[in-house]
Amino acid sequence: MVIGNLTNVIREIYNKGRRKFGFSRLPPLGQVPAQRPGNRGTCVEELTSLANMHNAALPELLEKLKSKLQGFKYSIAKLDTYLTERINNPSEYGFKEGKAACCGSGPYGGIFSCGGKRSVTEYYWLCANVSMYFSTLFIQPKGFTSKSPSYGGTKLVMTESPAVI
């Protein structure tokens, strides 16, 4: 269903004159801190499987469109690989922790309560050294953090480019 909707959107944009498109593969949704608490700290395979199916179907769709739409060009960022490598091997990228968020409550900091959000004012925790955690918040990886470690209206900025297909 998502791929079908994406096809319609791409065609609509193409019909308005666009020819170059950029896409990102879906991240490992079952590995983010927000998903781990309800799954005993492990990856939620169902979510990751859905993301993987989408990631497999995306290049096939884009190649079909490339053959049908004159001048259609695209690139796909390997966001899933970029994130998975840092979640599973944080020390290789200068982090101490890859699976838990720096600020939140519950296991892995996966409940978005940083700074008293969502009615949780007493039991959230904030790590002592933000730079040692890959995920600053319950779902926000470091490659997309603001220039400030605080949350207040974070502007997402890529600080390192993921590989592109």
Side-chain angles (χ1 to χ4, degrees), residues 9-10 13-23 62 66 69-76:
V9 171
I10 292 169
I13 294 170
Y14 177 89
N15 289 336
K16 292 186 180 213
R18 291 285 181 195
R19 297 295 180 263
K20 295 179 183 178
F21 293 78
F23 299 92
L62 296 174
K66 186 176 177 182
L69 304 174
Q70 185 178 359
F72 178 81
K73 294 182 180 186
Y74 68 90
S75 61
I76 306 172

Side-chain angles (χ1 to χ4, degrees), residues 61-133:
L61 162 74
L62 296 174
E63 280 300 309
K64 285 180 188 174
L65 288 172
K66 186 176 177 182
S67 70
K68 294 178 182 178
L69 304 174
Q70 185 178 359
F72 178 81
K73 294 182 180 186
Y74 68 90
S75 61
I76 306 172
K78 292 183 178 181
L79 181 62
D80 56 331
T81 304
Y82 174 87
L83 295 175
T84 299
E85 287 175 0
R86 283 150 184 83
I87 290 169
N88 294 332
N89 306 298
S91 62
E92 291 180 26
Y93 299 93
F95 301 109
K96 177 182 140 196
E97 177 58 58
K99 292 179 173 68
C102 174
C103 187
S105 61
Y108 303 94
I111 300 169
F112 181 46
S113 58
C114 192
K117 303 287 183 193
R118 308 228 180 203
S119 302
V120 178
T121 56
E122 293 180 40
Y123 301 108
Y124 74 90
W125 63 277
L126 176 63
C127 61
N129 187 348
V130 170
S131 66
M132 298 307 292
Y133 284 73

Side-chain angles (χ1 to χ4, degrees), residues 31 56 132-133 164-165:
Q31 293 185 21
M132 298 307 292
Y133 284 73
V164 176
I165 297 175

Side-chain angles (χ1 to χ4, degrees), residues 1-29:
M1 182 173 174
V2 173
I3 291 292
N5 290 340
L6 186 57
T7 303
N8 294 337
V9 171
I10 292 169
R11 285 182 186 273
E12 192 175 322
I13 294 170
Y14 177 89
N15 289 336
K16 292 186 180 213
R18 291 285 181 195
R19 297 295 180 263
K20 295 179 183 178
F21 293 78
F23 299 92
S24 173
R25 290 175 15 168
L26 288 177
L29 299 173

